[in-house]
Amino acid sequence: MRPLILISNDDGYQAKGINSLVDMVKHLGDVVVCAPEGPRSGFSCAFSATTSLTLTMRERHEGVEIWSSNGTPVDCVKLALSQILDRKPDLVLGGINHGDNGSVNTHYSGTMGVVMEGCMKYIPSVAYSLCDHNGDADFEPLRPYVERYTEQVLREGLPQGVCLNINFPLLEKGAAYKGVRLCRMAQGTWCNEVTKCHHPRGYDYYWMVGHYHNDEPEHEDTDNWALNHGYVAITPTLADVTAHEFLSQKAVWEQ
């Protein structure tokens, strides 16, 4: 039996990134896509606890089923597991995201929400992202890496509770990736995130904008450093967010 691969994203089922990902991995197994109807960036692990959801079959072509929902990326994974698939998938893939998900973006990313949901369901899960927000981004340089790591995880699996966050830098035309770095999340912060505007009809409104600041730009073991220097960054990510080192302070807190 061929492996079953579930794919979702946070850019919508029509995005070039997710369709490129399908093309890259469809020879490795049976592929089912369940993705949002439109952009859902920044939805992280949110799901629709108080909203009714739709589920629509969009296409069945060359063995690939494509479904969409009005929900979040996590909703799409939950819907696929409950309503579409007749067996547990062997792999969950998120992406390919238009824009990077390095550093603290991991916590905001709907693409990472997809793979965290898969990980929490004990399914090997991998997120792919490219540092290019262009809707017509060139994903072709990613192909050999996506094929390699997807096949590797299908074959070898991942430790329980661990998913992979794989980010690709934006290359100049004709350039090649310098290599691959297994790295940690960089420490960084978003600054000046809220812009206040005044509407001609007399009320104020706000945009979430801002810019990212790398708080440790010289640390070569981080994803930001790897991406800024032309390397593919692979960050193993835990579903368990317990601060295990803090547990050593039991004597102080359990009095």
Side-chain angles (χ1 to χ4, degrees), residues 158-222:
L158 289 169
Q160 185 170 301
V162 175
C163 56
L164 296 183
N165 180 16
I166 303 181
N167 287 273
F168 295 82
L170 178 60
L171 297 175
E172 294 184 4
K173 190 172 183 178
Y177 298 121
K178 292 182 179 179
V180 179
R181 291 287 186 102
L182 191 65
C183 46
R184 66 175 176 87
M185 259 177 54
Q187 297 298 311
T189 51
W190 280 89
C191 310
N192 302 319
E193 293 180 270
V194 181
T195 294
K196 182 179 179 180
C197 305
H198 189 74
H199 197 277
R201 292 186 177 178
Y203 60 87
D204 294 330
Y205 63 98
Y206 305 87
W207 284 105
M208 289 291 177
V209 287
H211 64 275
Y212 172 77
H213 182 266
N214 183 356
D215 295 332
E216 44 181 3
E218 302 307 318
H219 287 242
E220 297 184 11
D221 61 337
T222 69

Side-chain angles (χ1 to χ4, degrees), residues 116 119-120 161-163 237-242:
M116 291 299 290
C119 188
M120 289 187 287
V162 175
C163 56
T237 304
L238 290 169
D240 179 0
V241 296
T242 304

Side-chain angles (χ1 to χ4, degrees), residues 27-222:
H27 67 286
L28 297 174
D30 296 327
V31 173
V32 174
V33 172
C34 187
E37 291 177 344
R40 300 289 190 274
S41 293
F43 273 65
S44 186
C45 291
F47 67 95
S48 301
T50 59
T51 305
S52 61
L53 298 173
T54 61
L55 184 60
T56 305
M57 161 65 84
R58 296 291 178 175
E59 185 179 349
R60 183 184 286 112
H61 181 66
E62 294 182 351
V64 177
E65 285 189 11
I66 298 177
W67 296 74
S68 72
S69 172
N70 63 338
T72 70
V74 167
D75 287 333
C76 291
V77 176
K78 291 180 180 294
L79 285 166
L81 296 178
S82 171
Q83 302 298 315
I84 299 173
L85 304 178
D86 58 5
R87 60 188 172 98
K88 187 175 182 179
D90 299 283
L91 180 65
V92 170
L93 298 180
I96 300 170
N97 191 63
H98 292 251
D100 86 272
N101 280 314
S103 186
V104 294
N105 292 342
T106 300
H107 298 295
Y108 301 118
S109 165
T111 304
M112 285 303 296
V114 168
V115 300
M116 291 299 290
E117 181 66 18
C119 188
M120 289 187 287
K121 294 287 193 294
Y122 309 114
I123 305 167
S125 302
V126 183
Y128 294 111
S129 303
L130 173 64
C131 299
D132 188 351
H133 290 278
N134 186 349
D136 194 33
D138 181 11
F139 294 97
E140 197 57 30
L142 284 61
R143 182 180 293 272
Y145 298 89
V146 170
E147 290 180 349
R148 171 187 170 187
Y149 294 121
T150 300
E151 187 172 21
Q152 183 172 330
V153 174
L154 277 172
R155 183 177 64 251
E156 301 177 8
L158 289 169
Q160 185 170 301
V162 175
C163 56
L164 296 183
N165 180 16
I166 303 181
N167 287 273
F168 295 82
L170 178 60
L171 297 175
E172 294 184 4
K173 190 172 183 178
Y177 298 121
K178 292 182 179 179
V180 179
R181 291 287 186 102
L182 191 65
C183 46
R184 66 175 176 87
M185 259 177 54
Q187 297 298 311
T189 51
W190 280 89
C191 310
N192 302 319
E193 293 180 270
V194 181
T195 294
K196 182 179 179 180
C197 305
H198 189 74
H199 197 277
R201 292 186 177 178
Y203 60 87
D204 294 330
Y205 63 98
Y206 305 87
W207 284 105
M208 289 291 177
V209 287
H211 64 275
Y212 172 77
H213 182 266
N214 183 356
D215 295 332
E216 44 181 3
E218 302 307 318
H219 287 242
E220 297 184 11
D221 61 337
T222 69

